[in-house]
Amino acid sequence: MLSFISAGESHGEGIVAILEGMVAGLKVDASYINEDLKRRQGGYGRSVRMKMEKDTAHILAGMHHKVTTGSPIALMVKNNVRTIEKLPAITSPRPGHADLAGMLKYGIKDARTILERSSARETVARVAVGSICKKFLEDFGVFGFFHVVNIGGVEANTGDLSLKELEKKSSRSALWCADPEAEKCMREKIDTAAARGDTLGGVGELVMTNVVAGVGTFTSWRKRLDARIAEALMSIPSVKGVEIGIGFRGAHLAGSLFHDPVYYSKKEGFHRSSNNAGGIEGGMSNGEVITVRLMAKPIPTLTQGLDSVNVVTKETTQAHNERHDTVVLGACGVIAQAMLSFVLADAYLEKFGGDSLHETKMNFLHYCESIQRF
Amino acid sequence: MLSFISAGESHGEGIVAILEGMVAGLKVDASYINEDLKRRQGGYGRSVRMKMEKDTAHILAGMHHKVTTGSPIALMVKNNVRTIEKLPAITSPRPGHADLAGMLKYGIKDARTILERSSARETVARVAVGSICKKFLEDFGVFGFFHVVNIGGVEANTGDLSLKELEKKSSRSALWCADPEAEKCMREKIDTAAARGDTLGGVGELVMTNVVAGVGTFTSWRKRLDARIAEALMSIPSVKGVEIGIGFRGAHLAGSLFHDPVYYSKKEGFHRSSNNAGGIEGGMSNGEVITVRLMAKPIPTLTQGLDSVNVVTKETTQAHNERHDTVVLGACGVIAQAMLSFVLADAYLEKFGGDSLHETKMNFLHYCESIQRF
Amino acid sequence: MLSFISAGESHGEGIVAILEGMVAGLKVDASYINEDLKRRQGGYGRSVRMKMEKDTAHILAGMHHKVTTGSPIALMVKNNVRTIEKLPAITSPRPGHADLAGMLKYGIKDARTILERSSARETVARVAVGSICKKFLEDFGVFGFFHVVNIGGVEANTGDLSLKELEKKSSRSALWCADPEAEKCMREKIDTAAARGDTLGGVGELVMTNVVAGVGTFTSWRKRLDARIAEALMSIPSVKGVEIGIGFRGAHLAGSLFHDPVYYSKKEGFHRSSNNAGGIEGGMSNGEVITVRLMAKPIPTLTQGLDSVNVVTKETTQAHNERHDTVVLGACGVIAQAMLSFVLADAYLEKFGGDSLHETKMNFLHYCESIQRF
Amino acid sequence: MLSFISAGESHGEGIVAILEGMVAGLKVDASYINEDLKRRQGGYGRSVRMKMEKDTAHILAGMHHKVTTGSPIALMVKNNVRTIEKLPAITSPRPGHADLAGMLKYGIKDARTILERSSARETVARVAVGSICKKFLEDFGVFGFFHVVNIGGVEANTGDLSLKELEKKSSRSALWCADPEAEKCMREKIDTAAARGDTLGGVGELVMTNVVAGVGTFTSWRKRLDARIAEALMSIPSVKGVEIGIGFRGAHLAGSLFHDPVYYSKKEGFHRSSNNAGGIEGGMSNGEVITVRLMAKPIPTLTQGLDSVNVVTKETTQAHNERHDTVVLGACGVIAQAMLSFVLADAYLEKFGGDSLHETKMNFLHYCESIQRF
């Protein structure tokens, strides 16, 4: 139902996106989107560039008096630096980037056009589009957040926290980390890495609450909610791993401990005593909180350089060095939340149909009643 | 370019699949497909049913004298047990299955039609279709295998093995495990679990060698090879985690250690001194070996049952119990290899076009020459 | 939402189709589908083969006790003649068929595999799948029919007939023609053509009543209802023209006469004094009767042969001769009705969402109420 | 392979489009695109607004030094009038427009947001995107043009003209009509209609030369070239009919006269003595000239108004009147040529693959050689 596409280069005019399939009648102020764009640029360990630039979304189409019309929504985030036509050729591919594979793919000895598009700059489109989807989900009572559980090997200890505490504490942290002591160690690790000209990666967790049971489906492999989430998150530059619920960490558990027993009470309806499934069973939401973790590699542009080859001379050299963030896991989380919001909004529209927010919501409410009566 | 869809229930007529977009001129003997179907049914820790039944693929369309014609390929794997119309209603949803979410989704108090389709029986379609894709890839020099690295918490130690040894040793193991000592512990763990009526999950790794650089693309999020792999693998029932290359295990590494330096020699062309990226950078194959790991949860049907609720009476009960495998990680690997073969064959057809194997191969060879000359 | 794919060859095992996205809870007896399959084989001017063979649909998956389950529906129509592996090579391409272009496309000098798939035999899949969609639409009050307006240049005069009369009279005619005098002339023309070993084409009209206003959309070109109808109908072998409403016949009309004025009364709601638009404005249904015409070329297999070339020897020859119908416009109409039903069912599911017939219908009824209150 | 989407309203910021899947290495100067945009605005019978405004395409992404990069191409055509937020509500739907169906669909009593998007203004996106595709096709030797065969009932007589004469004469005509005498009558008819405040429609023909045989396919209904052409052309606002080759005009022909006999000579290869099929057989190009006709209704905005209803008061009224062209068939032709170029470029990329123009062309040339050797 819902789809989006983006275009744009890191040092071109800007990043353009078109979101197709959003219902009419959704109020989305540009300031709402810009708040998410700002979150994407924040966090400890970011470069000076991030602090100086301020991304804002220009709505080009699909809104009328700050309300969606049902028509495709086009928006643009302009670049501050638009020097693409004057930038030098890049002949030494950076390990960890698209550079080398891209040059071979296109048969060109300059990675400029490749790195301009494969740059993480493209993710502003995802955040802006996902922000609209997030606003849509809020109208259905769905809220989510992201928190960091590991940076550079420093593990946060959050096992005892309730969801509310987890959200509160992580939202106050410059590293999105709900464990203050771990955060302190992470900062030190980041400072040390920065001093070395090195970078760090890590692991973060997305949480989505109040997703109604029965969204997504088991009937066809491409329609499964878990497959769509994995696709959306793994498509984020830097992400190299995705797990739903306990994931890899539950590999040692026997079935009797892994699976989440079902109980029922009038007040709570069907509920579970654990949530190792992360809110998804059989490719559908099951009514529990959705939890997804992702692993983001350290960004591959290092001040200290990495061994590479000049593709013209074939001599060993140091990789070209374009940017200077030390850790971007928080930004990754903002992007991941946007992508997850897109996937869920799509799944809601698939199940509930409708051309306007009012119509979709009416259909949704009737379904909720049928679940309550079940 | 390439797409497939399946239909079919666990106790219905059988599983039907249609693969669309495969080139003409590919020789695929049914025995080739049946060999993969047999591998899917094998492995230590499988139920008696698996040993008695023998799946075979009936090609219904799209082949002529055992060669693909370019038309959609339809195939069917018939069920041995076709009692679906007589089977009882299921009113106690099994934790870990689609049962509860499915009943709420459809508003029905019998999970029969849900579990019949959400059953892993559906994966025979994937294996059969993926087998054709695997055969296609072999014609382009691409070969792959799967090996088990963890069952129920027992970790295999394979760090010192070459790819050849890894393949050889794992192919000889009834658990697809290349570490004989770990395999022994795994067997014991399985026997203990089986005696308890419990089940086990674990982690396995897919390896694909000789994938040419430049397949997949960074230009749009849905076309990235990593996103497509994650989607395909996470869509497999039981899979709860996917990682490419070192993935989560590399969360602690600094960028200077994570990324794979580039070198060049006339003999080897561009190559790396490590492969933490798992053969994929910027959403494209980079010419290195592709490695992907998946986590499969313990299958959720336990002889000992799990707490559940009778949806009619709302009383607590034991979950319905339909099947009896103890561990299915090997089968998961066969399915995962099929899905990965599908994704790669699709990406090859996308890049090289062509209506016949001959035409696609000519286009491929010209590209390979351009890489060698690069 | 809804999609279908088919596989199968004219003299292979049969034709297989998978319909994905149909809601659960729809009752469809095989006899309902078979009735449509029979209509496809009927009509004056058909070959002896058509009268001898009787197509029946075997439901392989997706139904439980004759009710859809929400899972993909697989069905197969078996062939009576399954001699494909023994049939001779075809080296003289038949004008009007896929033969020549197909041989060049695949680089093969035998059109066998091409004509086996490009054969109109494939349309049994469309009729069977469309029959399920037609049944779905009936549950929403939508009914349709097809009638012939021109065969071989003989034009039917039906201008004075009401829709009811049109349906009644055409349904009684062996040529689907509501004008008995024209039908008589058509029969004579057919007999003469048959005697000469020649074939005839013509023009027919699809009528769909009671389609609710607002289905389809103007917001994106690929989602427009008119575009989807044109795609679906032009994809039918033999169809070379599609027009909606008055179409080409209205090229001479000025805007003041072409467009359908809007009126309102409590009883009828919004209505028009004419229907030149054929029930579609702005890529959406507008609440009026949907009318679509198609032109079907004479089938290109003639007993008397057509000039062609032996692709091996390059000598001029007579085209290979495979089948013997004289006119198939009625069959074309059955197929077209099936395709139109598929397009409309898809558009309904897109607008109204839902996983079960009950849920979709509730959403639909609320929308209908909102239109009545408008 | 190739896809595009647009966004934008008639009186908003402008029209935005993203074209995805175009190869790298294609030179496209903005002036090339602007020339097509200018053609869209031209022709006899256009409003004063058309003559005053001058559309130009701003490339926002996907090009580097005027050459495509392989990344999505974003472009924008800005509006001269950007008053959308201040324009009045429209409560009287215009017959022939999306207004009424749109209001019912969204449940709103103001058609403003509907007509802003359903406006033909959106087609500038198609022309700009199609212009890039047209440039791509030119690199493969494919050239096309459009000529008018009927306006308001005045039929052009072009039966004796060669393709070259047809192109030459129609390109010199302000009505794209190759018959000067018919053109004179058309002008008179247009002047009379304009004086009355009325509008006219008509019929035009697209011609595409040098399309290689074997593009498109018969194997699946949605991949057929004829279906894709019909979808693309019927999606153009105003188009109500599409025919390929002789289409409806050949309904009276017997098969022996309809189908195009095949001949062969060393010099010409396979060729035909007629082209009633319009260059497409079996859903594929057959190597002959592709000809497609479309019927465009008179534009539904008339100075003289049409009967309508005020949706608030339910009283009969005159429809709102937004624009003043008398005939837009020429513009329709420019749009149709753009859409046909998109469809063919897509089909070429599907068959020949490749990431760069060089790679695609090499694959294409090898195929052409195989046809010549056939």
Side-chain angles (χ1 to χ4, degrees), chain A residues 137-371:
Chain A
L137 289 173
E138 285 174 13
D139 271 24
F140 292 80
V142 178
F143 291 87
F145 65 94
F146 171 81
H147 69 107
V148 161
V149 294
N150 182 326
I151 284 185
V154 181
E155 194 85 23
N157 183 357
T158 61
D160 301 334
L161 300 178
S162 70
L163 278 182
K164 278 209 171 156
E165 288 169 318
L166 205 53
E167 181 178 17
K168 200 171 159 188
K169 290 195 170 186
S170 61
S171 71
R172 286 179 183 167
S173 154
L175 285 173
W176 286 267
C177 179
D179 174 352
E181 287 194 41
E183 199 212 273
K184 208 178 143 196
C185 296
M186 288 172 183
R187 279 175 185 261
E188 284 165 18
K189 197 130 199 187
I190 292 168
D191 293 342
T192 313
R196 269 202 328 265
D198 212 336
T199 59
L200 294 175
V203 176
E205 185 172 66
L206 287 165
V207 176
M208 278 281 178
T209 60
N210 216 19
V211 176
V212 74
V215 155
T217 182
F218 56 88
T219 54
S220 288
W221 69 276
R222 277 209 150 127
K223 294 187 166 185
R224 290 177 69 102
L225 193 58
D226 41 12
R228 287 147 79 174
I229 290 173
E231 177 200 21
L233 298 193
M234 194 69 96
S235 79
I236 301 171
S238 288
V239 173
K240 299 293 281 186
V242 177
E243 61 185 9
I244 293 174
I246 196 172
F248 286 97
R249 289 161 295 136
H252 64 288
L253 293 176
S256 53
L257 296 170
F258 189 100
H259 298 292
D260 310 311
V262 181
Y263 298 98
Y264 179 86
S265 72
K266 278 226 163 143
K267 201 181 153 200
E268 297 174 90
F270 296 101
H271 58 277
R272 312 299 180 98
S273 51
S274 60
N275 187 22
N276 289 330
I280 298 181
E281 286 172 316
M284 291 171 287
S285 58
N286 67 3
E288 300 300 302
V289 172
I290 289 181
T291 62
V292 189
R293 288 196 177 195
L294 56 86
M295 185 270 165
K297 67 184 186 186
I299 59 162
T301 314
L302 291 80
T303 311
Q304 64 174 55
L306 280 166
D307 277 0
S308 182
V309 172
N310 179 313
V311 295
V312 179
T313 64
K314 300 291 189 301
E315 282 165 5
T316 292
T317 176
Q318 295 293 292
H320 171 77
N321 179 341
E322 193 111 327
R323 264 178 71 187
H324 310 277
D325 288 324
T326 304
V327 67
V328 294
L329 191 56
C332 249
V334 176
I335 300 159
Q337 196 184 352
M339 293 303 286
L340 184 54
S341 297
F342 166 76
V343 170
L344 286 175
D346 182 31
Y348 266 63
L349 287 168
E350 190 179 272
K351 169 135 186 75
F352 302 114
D355 284 304
S356 65
L357 187 62
H358 175 76
E359 188 181 6
T360 304
K361 225 168 179 172
M362 290 299 285
N363 297 346
F364 166 74
L365 290 174
H366 287 118
Y367 175 70
C368 290
E369 280 169 28
S370 83
I371 285 189

Side-chain angles (χ1 to χ4, degrees), chain B residues 218-235:
Chain B
F218 56 88
T219 54
S220 288
W221 69 275
R222 275 207 152 128
K223 294 187 166 183
R224 290 177 69 102
L225 193 58
D226 41 12
R228 287 146 79 174
I229 290 173
E231 177 200 21
L233 298 193
M234 195 70 97
S235 79

Side-chain angles (χ1 to χ4, degrees), chain C residues 301-371:
Chain C
T301 314
L302 290 79
T303 311
Q304 63 174 52
L306 280 166
D307 276 0
S308 182
V309 172
N310 180 314
V311 296
V312 179
T313 63
K314 302 291 191 299
E315 281 165 5
T316 292
T317 176
Q318 295 292 292
H320 172 77
N321 180 341
E322 193 111 328
R323 264 178 69 187
H324 310 277
D325 289 325
T326 305
V327 68
V328 295
L329 191 55
C332 248
V334 176
I335 301 158
Q337 197 184 352
M339 292 304 285
L340 183 54
S341 298
F342 166 76
V343 170
L344 286 175
D346 182 32
Y348 266 64
L349 287 169
E350 190 178 272
K351 170 136 187 73
F352 301 114
D355 285 304
S356 66
L357 186 62
H358 176 77
E359 188 181 6
T360 304
K361 224 168 180 173
M362 290 298 286
N363 297 346
F364 167 74
L365 291 174
H366 287 117
Y367 176 70
C368 291
E369 280 169 27
S370 83
I371 284 189

